[in-house]
Amino acid sequence: MPRAAVRSTTTPARRRQPAAATRKRDDAAEKNRPLMEDIRLLGRILGDVIREQEGQEAFDLIERIRKLSVAYRLKRDADAGKTLARLLKNLSTDQAVSVIRAFSYFSHLANIAEDRHHVRRREHHERQGHLQEGSLAMSLERLAENNVRAEEIARMLERAYISPVLTAHPTEVQRKSILDAERAIAVLIHARDELHTQRELEDNEAMLRARVTQLWQTRMLRYTKLTVANEIENALSYYHATFLRQIPRLYRELERALPGYDIAPFFRMGNWIGGDRDGNPNVTADTLELALRAQCETALRHYLTEVHELGAELSISALLVQVTPEMQALAERSPDRSDHRKDEPYRRALVGIYARLAATLQRLTGTEALRHAVAPSEPYASADELLQDLCTIEASLLSHHGRALASTRLHSLIRAVQVFGFHLATVDLRQSSDKHEAVVAELLATARIEPRYAQLPEADKIALLLRLLNDARGLQVRGAQYSELTVGELAIFETARRMRSLYGAASIKHYIISHTETVSDLLEVLLLQKETGLMHGTLDDDGHADLIVVPLFETIGDLRNAAPIMREFYALPGVLELVQRSGAEQDIMLGYSDSNKDGGYFTSNWELYRAEIALVELFSGLRNEHGLTLRLFHGRGGSVGRGGGPSYQAILAQPPGTVNGQIRLTEQGEVIASKYANPEIGLRNLETLVAATLEATLLHPTKPAPRSFLEAAQELSNASMAAYRKLVYETPGFTDYFFAATPIREIAELNIGSRPASRKATRAIEDLRAIPWSFSWGQCRVALPGWYGFGSAVEAFLGTGRTQRKERLALLQRMHRQWPFFRTLLSNMDMVLAKSDLAVAARYVELVEDRRLGRRIFAAIQAEWQRTHDALALITGEKQRLASNPALARSIEHRFPYLDPLNHLQVELMRRYRQLSAAGQTNERVQRGLHISINGVAAGLRNTG
């Protein structure tokens, strides 16, 4: 990017401002000075690289566009805006691609600088002794202030289960090569804070220049569609960068805060990649096996590296220090017979452990360890065996003045083995309920048990499934030819059974049923487990299931039926006893994305809230009487419309009793990179999940909402959903508008995921996946799923009578002050509105061929945006968006000038691309530029998917 990529800009001279306001602004500028220096440095290097690679003319064009955009956006120069629009519209395709690449890479580099500054500010606060909201230290202090003893915290963690689950949805638009280069830049930027001499800084800048040159010369996009194998590899890169080392650090912080207490391994990673088949025909039994093999290799190679390093560190001589008998026996069992190490029992033991790990790697993954002091020996049968050997070393060190040696690398390795085992992360299986029904129907028809299962009434289905679950015999007919679907689905279950025996029971624990609408949907998966050896025994005779059957309630109707379905399920004979014998755990997944697409932002969140309360009421009785544990699994996306937003506030805003130490939540799309690509930021985000769960469980921050709040929320929901559905599902031509005024068609063609953008080959909004739906609205800067309908709802709720309006506004303001659910919902909406820009969105409307249709629908969107903006101001008392979050407001303000050219050029290239397509022609450069612009806008907004 040009020399001063983000220069400090000033607004035109105003009247003298109060001294306090001036000081506040100066303080903010001083706090952000290192950030601005990093951004200027990276911008200058990018500009130099562009000049070197593309020539002075290209550099001058990009710099002119930057200056015009800054003048238009930050200085409110309308003439600059008009000049910018004309300039961008008349660029050649090659010029447009060059400009798009420059501004896209600048967004990526600005993200790196911001991430570093977040860490820098946190380190500053820690040095000052200031505790930050969402930190583990702050939560533990709050617990202490409320007389929650360390013993209670440790006891709660014994039964806790906290699990972020990585998913590979098609909004992650970055290649791994780009991510790796950006990680290297992040490390170099971090290092600058510790450099003192001019030569050190110059050497660092030279390395930064090399990495930025690498970025510029690296293809940003994939030529081919992302495969499941690529998605697995991308996800595993975050384990190398963050999880394998930062999760043990997280436990270490808890151990320091709770001295004398054993901290149970409550924090586990989850993964959908390789096991999520819903709507993705590319996920098969083979990809499930590939995922677990790759995960196992990642874990084992980490252990091998750490054991090798421990061998260098634990050079302790038995001539100087004694060891325990168990430690001596471990050393004697080692195949290491080197005379050089005969007095070094720890090293001999570690050589033996390394040899066994190398053999384990060979047996489980078919790959070889990098180095061998001795040949691979007997493989470990389980991670517990490895853990036992490591604990033997630790116990010996602790009992012979070696605490300092045990408390660093060894203790972190022990914690890693406890958490990651040989499987690294629990892989969830997921499939749509209609696929299970089809498989069961074919099995029953082939076995001549029931020719038309799918047509049976629900009561008859349940009766038949219960009878089959009580029958010890299988359903498959030897020699029969089954359909590809049935063969593939049964292969998944059979592979799961085999993988569990190889990698341990924790490798696959959950089977998620998308579109759960009936009790039979749950029973069908139990029957398929029984058919493939994952359910042992029968329902009526000591049976138990290996996999937790997890219903996923997604649409508004499904959420309303969640508690009734689960109540009916547990009332069936034998089901409660089966679950008790299988571990007494019941996970229930709640879908944020489809419920939003179905009913809009407010109604989706309200129905999720109501469903959670109903489920907690049901399971509180099951827990008290039968020891069952309910664990809610939140299917949150990146964008606010799909449940995104700050995790800390989201967890604390959960209804009373819904967390209870148990939570799983998805981490999706580009949000994974923004949260976990940087190890320090990653640790902060992991810490936030734990801190929020501790507070939500032990401090009970949410109390049952008053009836007046609940009634008001229901009234708002009814009006909001009506307004939303009127636009999206009842407005003639809305589908045509959506496909024309957003880049949905182009996103569907972009090679950013292995999953198709739509469930069916139609243009119906109902069939479109919620992820590209939200992603498209984010790209065109409307972000409609994150706010639409709320303004109309508040307007209708307040009414027209003066007295009524005053009373009802006071009620909404009280809800905002006192009800975390409502406050968090409005806070997230505030952020969405701040990132939206209807002036930019208006340019996309020009792409709608039916001009009258485009104007009519966009006018409705504009009017609702204004109503929502005004409603937020009335309720919160804040006239400006993000008034309560000035840091984010400043970040967005400085990003907009670099997003504007990307959006302008995206519109222009969409126009050219569609004209070429209509004429049956293609232009690879146009398509590539368009797709890079999608990448750049996503990077600039950070949570659009």
Side-chain angles (χ1 to χ4, degrees):
M1 205 62 191
R3 245 178 336 273
V6 176
R7 293 178 181 156
S8 60
T9 57
T10 56
T11 54
R14 296 177 181 174
R15 293 182 183 178
R16 186 180 303 164
Q17 302 221 350
T22 303
R23 279 197 304 273
K24 190 173 181 182
R25 192 171 60 248
D26 290 344
D27 288 347
E30 180 57 28
K31 287 177 185 175
N32 287 322
R33 184 179 51 77
L35 168 63
M36 303 311 292
E37 288 174 354
D38 285 346
I39 289 178
R40 288 193 186 103
L41 170 68
L42 292 170
R44 175 171 58 77
I45 291 172
L46 178 59
D48 291 345
V49 168
I50 291 169
R51 187 191 290 108
E52 176 188 82
Q53 304 288 321
E54 305 294 314
Q56 186 67 38
E57 188 177 337
F59 171 85
D60 290 343
L61 173 65
I62 292 163
E63 176 67 351
R64 186 181 176 209
I65 290 168
R66 185 193 69 79
K67 287 179 177 177
L68 285 168
S69 190
V70 168
Y72 167 64
R73 177 62 70 167
L74 296 183
K75 297 181 181 178
R76 307 290 189 266
D77 185 338
D79 290 338
K82 292 173 185 175
T83 304
L84 177 66
R86 281 196 305 274
L87 176 60
L88 293 172
K89 189 169 185 177
N90 292 316
L91 294 182
S92 70
T93 297
D94 284 345
Q95 286 176 317
V97 172
S98 180
V99 171
I100 288 169
R101 291 189 75 217
F103 281 90
S104 294
Y105 275 129
F106 180 75
S107 289
H108 287 251
L109 295 174
N111 288 346
I112 292 170
E114 279 198 0
D115 287 347
R116 172 59 198 143
H117 195 58
H118 286 317
V119 174
R120 185 185 289 125
R121 292 305 303 168
R122 187 182 185 199
E123 290 170 346
H124 170 78
H125 286 300
E126 287 177 351
R127 285 195 299 270
Q128 298 294 316
H130 301 155
L131 300 181
Q132 288 193 290
E133 191 78 10
S135 69
L136 201 50
M138 171 71 91
S139 293
L140 290 168
E141 182 162 294
R142 281 186 182 148
L143 292 170
E145 288 171 354
N146 285 271
N147 299 314
V148 179
R149 301 190 313 277
E151 181 186 358
E152 291 178 69
I153 299 172
R155 198 164 57 240
M156 187 280 271
L157 292 175
E158 279 180 17
R159 57 180 174 78
Y161 190 103
I162 303 173
S163 179
V165 181
L166 304 191
T167 70
H169 284 289
T171 62
E172 171 53 77
V173 293
Q174 293 200 60
R175 290 180 64 208
K176 184 175 180 297
S177 301
I178 300 294
L179 288 170
D180 289 344
E182 289 178 1
R183 284 194 184 105
I185 292 171
V187 170
L188 290 167
I189 285 291
H190 179 103
R192 290 185 71 81
D193 286 352
E194 306 301 324
L195 303 181
H196 304 292
T197 70
Q198 189 61 32
R199 172 161 295 186
E200 288 175 332
L201 289 168
E202 288 173 358
D203 289 345
N204 176 276
E205 185 171 327
M207 289 187 282
L208 280 170
R209 191 175 300 276
R211 295 287 71 78
V212 174
T213 301
Q214 176 192 348
L215 273 182
W216 190 258
Q217 294 188 353
T218 297
R219 176 169 40 86
M220 189 179 278
L221 301 175
R222 304 176 185 91
Y223 275 136
T224 56
K225 190 82 172 168
L226 196 68
T227 66
V228 178
N230 297 143
E231 291 173 335
I232 292 167
E233 182 185 11
N234 282 356
L236 291 178
S237 70
Y238 295 100
Y239 285 85
H240 296 297
T242 298
F243 299 127
L244 282 164
R245 297 192 185 280
Q246 299 306 322
I247 289 177
R249 272 186 69 188
L250 176 67
Y251 279 98
R252 197 156 61 245
E253 286 188 24
L254 279 167
E255 287 166 344
R256 281 199 201 103
L258 305 171
Y261 292 95
D262 289 331
I263 306 300
F266 65 92
F267 196 98
R268 307 298 177 109
M269 293 301 298
N271 178 33
W272 274 16
I273 306 164
D276 178 14
R277 310 191 305 293
D278 180 21
N280 192 346
N282 301 306
V283 176
T284 63
D286 289 340
T287 62
L288 176 61
E289 188 167 352
L290 173 66
L292 279 160
R293 188 166 62 245
Q295 289 183 189
C296 176
E297 183 176 352
T298 299
L300 289 177
R301 289 196 183 280
H302 175 70
Y303 302 158
L304 284 161
T305 299
E306 294 303 289
V307 167
H308 176 74
E309 295 297 332
L310 277 171
E313 293 174 6
L314 299 185
S315 54
I316 299 155
S317 171
L319 301 176
L320 301 171
V321 182
Q322 290 185 324
V323 299
T324 62
E326 293 81 7
M327 178 64 227
Q328 188 61 42
L330 182 61
E332 295 299 333
R333 290 199 299 272
S334 170
D336 182 14
R337 296 292 178 260
S338 169
D339 288 339
H340 296 295
R341 291 185 289 272
K342 63 183 180 181
D343 69 323
E344 297 174 343
Y346 291 103
R347 277 184 163 170
R348 286 167 53 208
L350 288 163
V351 167
I353 290 172
Y354 191 98
R356 293 194 69 184
L357 274 172
T360 309
L361 179 72
Q362 198 173 53
R363 180 175 74 88
L364 294 180
T365 71
T367 61
E368 296 289 333
L370 296 178
R371 49 178 86 82
H372 297 289
V374 297
S377 60
E378 180 190 357
Y380 284 109
S382 69
D384 286 341
E385 285 189 4
L386 168 62
L387 189 61
Q388 187 176 341
D389 283 354
L390 295 173
C391 288
T392 296
I393 295 175
E394 183 183 47
S396 182
L397 287 169
L398 293 176
S399 60
H400 294 92
H401 310 293
R403 180 172 296 277
L405 293 166
S407 62
T408 52
R409 187 185 303 275
L410 175 60
H411 192 66
S412 291
L413 176 57
I414 287 171
R415 186 60 81 178
V417 175
Q418 287 178 332
V419 172
F420 300 111
F422 288 167
H423 64 287
L424 191 71
T426 297
V427 177
D428 290 357
L429 305 181
R430 183 170 80 130
Q431 182 56 289
S432 180
S433 60
D434 61 315
K435 303 297 184 187
H436 303 138
E437 182 184 71
V439 171
V440 169
E442 184 174 358
L443 289 172
L444 295 179
T446 304
R448 298 186 180 181
I449 294 171
E450 171 52 60
R452 286 193 295 274
Y453 169 78
Q455 282 74 50
L456 290 177
E458 173 67 6
D460 292 351
K461 282 184 181 177
I462 291 172
L464 175 56
L465 292 168
L466 287 174
R467 178 162 60 83
L468 294 170
L469 286 167
N470 288 328
D471 190 333
R473 294 168 295 180
L475 296 174
Q476 294 177 74
V477 177
R478 189 185 296 274
Q481 294 295 309
Y482 291 101
S483 68
E484 185 180 348
L485 171 67
T486 296
V487 170
E489 291 301 308
L490 291 176
I492 286 282
F493 283 88
E494 287 159 357
T495 301
R497 177 173 50 79
R498 190 160 48 84
M499 294 298 98
R500 282 170 56 88
S501 68
L502 272 177
Y503 303 114
S507 62
I508 304 175
K509 284 183 60 178
H510 307 92
Y511 195 106
I512 299 163
I513 307 165
S514 298
H515 311 296
T516 300
E517 297 170 348
T518 61
V519 171
S520 62
D521 292 338
L522 304 173
L523 294 174
E524 285 163 0
V525 171
L526 279 176
L527 184 62
L528 292 173
Q529 284 199 62
K530 174 177 167 289
E531 188 65 19
T532 51
L534 286 165
M535 178 176 159
H536 312 273
T538 59
L539 191 62
D540 61 355
D541 185 19
D542 259 5
H544 67 276
D546 288 341
L547 306 184
I548 301 170
V549 176
V550 184
L552 167 50
F553 299 108
E554 299 175 88
T555 66
I556 300 298
D558 294 344
L559 290 169
R560 290 171 178 170
N561 288 328
I565 287 173
M566 297 311 296
R567 184 177 292 106
E568 186 181 352
F569 178 62
Y570 274 93
L572 296 174
V575 167
L576 174 60
E577 293 77 12
L578 174 82
V579 174
Q580 285 177 306
R581 291 190 295 267
S582 305
E585 298 174 294
Q586 178 63 67
D587 289 64
I588 295 175
M589 186 169 182
L590 303 172
Y592 289 65
S593 305
D594 283 288
S595 59
N596 178 288
K597 188 162 69 74
D598 190 18
Y601 177 63
F602 189 90
T603 298
S604 168
N605 280 273
W606 173 238
E607 292 296 343
L608 284 159
Y609 187 90
R610 291 182 64 208
E612 290 183 51
I613 289 175
L615 288 167
V616 165
E617 287 176 358
L618 169 64
F619 277 88
S620 62
L622 291 170
R623 182 184 70 242
N624 294 336
E625 295 175 31
H626 306 287
L628 250 60
T629 296
L630 170 66
R631 184 182 303 117
L632 293 178
F633 183 7
H634 300 269
R636 305 169 75 229
S639 64
V640 167
R642 298 187 48 245
S647 298
Y648 178 74
Q649 286 83 357
I651 294 172
L652 291 184
Q654 293 300 304
T658 53
V659 178
N660 206 24
Q662 309 286 319
I663 192 165
R664 299 184 88 214
L665 67 166
T666 53
E667 301 280 27
Q668 302 180 357
E670 78 283 355
V671 170
I672 297 175
S674 70
K675 281 188 174 183
Y676 300 116
N678 181 304
E680 292 296 327
I681 297 279
L683 177 62
R684 164 75 167 152
N685 281 295
L686 296 169
E687 197 180 304
T688 292
L689 294 179
V690 177
T693 304
L694 284 171
E695 289 188 46
T697 303
L698 295 171
L699 293 182
H700 311 291
T702 54
K703 304 292 186 283
R707 174 178 285 186
S708 59
F709 287 12
L710 300 176
E711 289 174 350
Q714 185 62 58
E715 197 171 331
L716 288 170
S717 175
N718 293 341
S720 178
M721 183 169 175
Y724 173 84
R725 290 193 67 85
K726 181 181 178 182
L727 175 76
V728 174
Y729 294 104
E730 298 166 16
T731 298
F734 180 82
T735 300
D736 293 333
Y737 175 90
F738 171 66
F739 274 84
T742 77
I744 178 63
R745 286 186 270 174
E746 291 73 22
I747 286 169
E749 296 171 8
L750 187 53
N751 297 314
I752 56 177
S754 66
R755 182 191 304 272
S758 187
R759 287 188 171 91
K760 300 176 183 176
T762 73
R763 293 207 325 162
I765 301 296
E766 293 88 341
D767 295 328
L768 188 70
R769 290 194 171 279
I771 299 150
W773 162 259
S774 290
F775 196 53
S776 300
W777 286 116
Q779 285 282 312
C780 68
R781 306 294 292 284
V782 176
L784 181 140
W787 56 269
Y788 197 92
F790 183 72
S792 289
V794 171
E795 192 174 86
F797 180 79
L798 294 178
T800 55
R802 186 172 180 179
T803 303
Q804 180 197 40
R805 183 180 177 84
K806 185 178 180 181
E807 290 175 352
R808 289 196 150 206
L809 177 58
L811 173 60
L812 294 179
Q813 290 170 337
R814 200 160 62 251
M815 289 164 65
H816 178 253
R817 288 193 306 272
Q818 299 175 8
W819 194 11
F821 162 75
F822 194 66
R823 185 169 56 250
T824 300
L825 189 147
L826 266 57
S827 173
N828 287 335
M829 199 184 303
D830 184 29
M831 180 185 70
V832 174
L833 290 182
K835 289 189 174 184
S836 66
D837 190 318
L838 295 195
V840 171
R843 297 188 175 277
Y844 288 80
V845 181
E846 297 169 5
L847 298 171
V848 181
E849 290 184 13
D850 185 336
R851 296 301 174 88
R852 182 178 295 178
L853 174 71
R855 286 194 298 270
R856 178 164 53 85
I857 291 180
F858 189 61
I861 291 171
Q862 284 178 304
E864 184 61 21
W865 188 96
Q866 192 61 52
R867 279 191 290 267
T868 302
H869 180 278
D870 294 346
L872 274 178
L874 276 174
I875 296 168
T876 64
E878 296 170 352
K879 304 300 181 188
Q880 297 296 320
R881 299 280 57 83
L882 293 176
S884 60
N885 193 343
L888 181 57
R890 281 192 299 273
S891 171
I892 290 173
E893 181 184 31
H894 283 291
R895 280 173 183 272
F896 272 14
Y898 300 91
L899 282 170
D900 286 348
L902 290 172
N903 282 118
H904 279 65
L905 287 173
Q906 186 176 98
V907 171
E908 180 56 33
L909 293 186
M910 284 168 67
R911 180 183 289 110
R912 296 179 194 180
Y913 179 70
R914 290 174 182 182
Q915 287 171 350
L916 288 167
S917 297
Q921 300 172 353
T922 58
N923 183 315
E924 189 270 338
R925 290 285 285 173
V926 171
Q927 187 177 26
R928 189 153 69 92
L930 180 53
H931 288 174
I932 294 172
S933 75
I934 292 171
N935 180 301
V937 172
L941 293 174
R942 299 206 89 171
N943 63 344
T944 60

